[in-house]
Amino acid sequence: MRYTALLTVCACLALPAVASAGPVEVWPSPRHVVPADNGDLRFVLVVANTGVEIARDVVVTDTLPDGVELVSSQPFATVDGTTMRWSLGDVAPGGSARVELTLRGGVDGGASVDALVGVPRREEAAPIVIGTQEDPLAPARAPSVDADAADPEVLAVVARHDGDPLALANYVQNRVAWEPYQGSLRGARGTLWSGAGNSLDQASTLIALLRAAGVPARYARGTIPDEDAAAL
């Protein structure tokens, strides 16, 4: 009998500066920029409140470099020169807010999140840019169905660990027990909720956490010899 092991492969890159972890954390999701047929670039910004207090007056700000044009956004953006701004109101603990954005002529200059999460403390964090489909690592950065890096449950774990890839790997190893079953059943959120999963769901969980922290990660499959499987 031979056994198949699912591994998580990641490439550690320099991570963007984010707000330090605290009782309340506004942690932005990674975003995948997808070219449309006419060349416009579409993506979604997701802001998740991973803390225990309401994030009030949540504002997302983004910039337009020279030659880049705003085609559309939902909700409507207030534009002042090259600055785009969205007022998203309050985001409850565990909740999230989205901005759907279409640009023409290139990518944006980088977004930031500002929210009142205490008096008078404010938290700021810069969303992680995934890049376009021309980026060879884009698939290893983007949220997927089983490894949803934009899921608020995933973002909450990343925020609690300051986006540290090693701490996230240790979290999955030490806090997510192994259970034997076939196929992808729970995905990252279900595995975090249950605290257990098979090798595929464990891999999906770690991939989602790493991608949310800005670290490209992908699946890899290998065969374990009988003697190694017995030892494991």
Side-chain angles (χ1 to χ4, degrees):
M1 179 179 297
R2 299 177 74 81
Y3 297 82
T4 298
L6 283 163
L7 310 174
T8 302
V9 179
C10 64
C12 294
L13 304 178
L15 301 180
V18 296
S20 59
V24 173
E25 184 80 15
V26 178
W27 190 275
S29 75
R31 55 192 179 89
H32 189 203
V33 181
V34 180
D37 292 339
N38 62 357
D40 292 349
L41 301 178
R42 300 173 180 170
F43 55 92
V44 175
L45 303 175
V46 180
V47 180
N49 181 359
T50 63
V52 296
E53 301 178 48
I54 295 176
R56 303 187 184 278
D57 300 328
V58 176
V59 175
V60 173
T61 304
D62 206 341
T63 57
L64 293 169
D66 291 341
V68 179
E69 174 188 355
L70 173 64
V71 177
S72 65
S73 73
Q74 181 63 38
F76 181 79
T78 300
V79 181
D80 182 9
T82 61
T83 301
M84 303 175 291
R85 183 174 288 103
W86 296 268
S87 296
L88 303 180
D90 298 344
V91 178
S96 61
R98 295 164 56 96
V99 174
E100 299 181 12
L101 188 60
T102 300
L103 300 179
R104 180 172 298 156
V107 296
D108 58 322
S112 63
V113 179
D114 187 37
L116 186 64
V117 290
V119 180
R121 184 169 51 103
R122 304 186 75 89
E123 300 282 355
E124 297 181 2
I128 300 164
V129 179
I130 298 302
T132 70
Q133 290 180 344
E134 298 176 356
D135 178 2
L137 287 178
R141 305 174 192 266
S144 62
V145 173
D146 290 331
D148 187 0
D151 188 295
E153 297 290 337
V154 171
L155 299 174
V157 175
V158 175
R160 289 199 299 269
H161 293 84
D162 293 329
D164 182 350
L166 181 58
L168 296 173
N170 289 335
Y171 178 88
V172 174
Q173 181 177 6
N174 298 325
R175 300 288 297 276
V176 180
W178 181 77
E179 285 187 358
Y181 53 84
Q182 293 293 321
S184 177
L185 180 64
R186 298 171 180 168
R189 172 181 280 204
T191 303
L192 290 174
W193 278 356
S194 62
N198 66 0
S199 59
L200 180 53
D201 279 334
Q202 286 178 327
S204 294
T205 302
L206 181 54
I207 286 172
L209 294 172
L210 291 173
R211 290 178 181 178
V215 180
R218 63 178 178 85
Y219 297 93
R221 184 182 297 271
T223 301
I224 301 176
D226 293 345
E227 57 272 20
D228 293 337
L232 288 173

mmCIF file with all atom_site columns, all heavy atoms in Angstrom, residues 84 129 192 203:
data_model
loop_
_atom_site.group_PDB
_atom_site.id
_atom_site.type_symbol
_atom_site.label_atom_id
_atom_site.label_alt_id
_atom_site.label_comp_id
_atom_site.label_asym_id
_atom_site.label_entity_id
_atom_site.label_seq_id
_atom_site.pdbx_PDB_ins_code
_atom_site.Cartn_x
_atom_site.Cartn_y
_atom_site.Cartn_z
_atom_site.occupancy
_atom_site.B_iso_or_equiv
_atom_site.pdbx_formal_charge
_atom_site.auth_seq_id
_atom_site.auth_comp_id
_atom_site.auth_asym_id
_atom_site.auth_atom_id
_atom_site.pdbx_PDB_model_num
ATOM 1  N N   . MET A 1 84  ? -9.197  58.005 -4.759 1.00 0.00 ? 84  MET A N   1
ATOM 2  C CA  . MET A 1 84  ? -10.531 57.406 -4.669 1.00 0.00 ? 84  MET A CA  1
ATOM 3  C C   . MET A 1 84  ? -10.805 57.052 -3.209 1.00 0.00 ? 84  MET A C   1
ATOM 4  O O   . MET A 1 84  ? -9.914  56.561 -2.508 1.00 0.00 ? 84  MET A O   1
ATOM 5  C CB  . MET A 1 84  ? -10.610 56.135 -5.527 1.00 0.00 ? 84  MET A CB  1
ATOM 6  C CG  . MET A 1 84  ? -10.283 56.343 -6.993 1.00 0.00 ? 84  MET A CG  1
ATOM 7  S SD  . MET A 1 84  ? -10.249 54.764 -7.904 1.00 0.00 ? 84  MET A SD  1
ATOM 8  C CE  . MET A 1 84  ? -8.764  54.002 -7.212 1.00 0.00 ? 84  MET A CE  1
ATOM 9  N N   . VAL A 1 129 ? -1.481  43.354 -2.647 1.00 0.00 ? 129 VAL A N   1
ATOM 10 C CA  . VAL A 1 129 ? -1.741  43.340 -4.088 1.00 0.00 ? 129 VAL A CA  1
ATOM 11 C C   . VAL A 1 129 ? -1.327  41.988 -4.661 1.00 0.00 ? 129 VAL A C   1
ATOM 12 O O   . VAL A 1 129 ? -0.191  41.555 -4.497 1.00 0.00 ? 129 VAL A O   1
ATOM 13 C CB  . VAL A 1 129 ? -0.978  44.466 -4.799 1.00 0.00 ? 129 VAL A CB  1
ATOM 14 C CG1 . VAL A 1 129 ? -1.237  44.422 -6.293 1.00 0.00 ? 129 VAL A CG1 1
ATOM 15 C CG2 . VAL A 1 129 ? -1.361  45.815 -4.220 1.00 0.00 ? 129 VAL A CG2 1
ATOM 16 N N   . LEU A 1 192 ? -10.942 25.282 10.144 1.00 0.00 ? 192 LEU A N   1
ATOM 17 C CA  . LEU A 1 192 ? -10.686 26.137 11.305 1.00 0.00 ? 192 LEU A CA  1
ATOM 18 C C   . LEU A 1 192 ? -11.794 25.988 12.338 1.00 0.00 ? 192 LEU A C   1
ATOM 19 O O   . LEU A 1 192 ? -11.537 25.954 13.543 1.00 0.00 ? 192 LEU A O   1
ATOM 20 C CB  . LEU A 1 192 ? -10.557 27.595 10.864 1.00 0.00 ? 192 LEU A CB  1
ATOM 21 C CG  . LEU A 1 192 ? -9.305  27.960 10.063 1.00 0.00 ? 192 LEU A CG  1
ATOM 22 C CD1 . LEU A 1 192 ? -9.385  29.399 9.575  1.00 0.00 ? 192 LEU A CD1 1
ATOM 23 C CD2 . LEU A 1 192 ? -8.051  27.767 10.912 1.00 0.00 ? 192 LEU A CD2 1
ATOM 24 N N   . ALA A 1 203 ? -3.939  21.236 4.224  1.00 0.00 ? 203 ALA A N   1
ATOM 25 C CA  . ALA A 1 203 ? -3.161  21.994 3.249  1.00 0.00 ? 203 ALA A CA  1
ATOM 26 C C   . ALA A 1 203 ? -3.926  23.224 2.783  1.00 0.00 ? 203 ALA A C   1
ATOM 27 O O   . ALA A 1 203 ? -3.361  24.320 2.662  1.00 0.00 ? 203 ALA A O   1
ATOM 28 C CB  . ALA A 1 203 ? -2.800  21.099 2.064  1.00 0.00 ? 203 ALA A CB  1
#
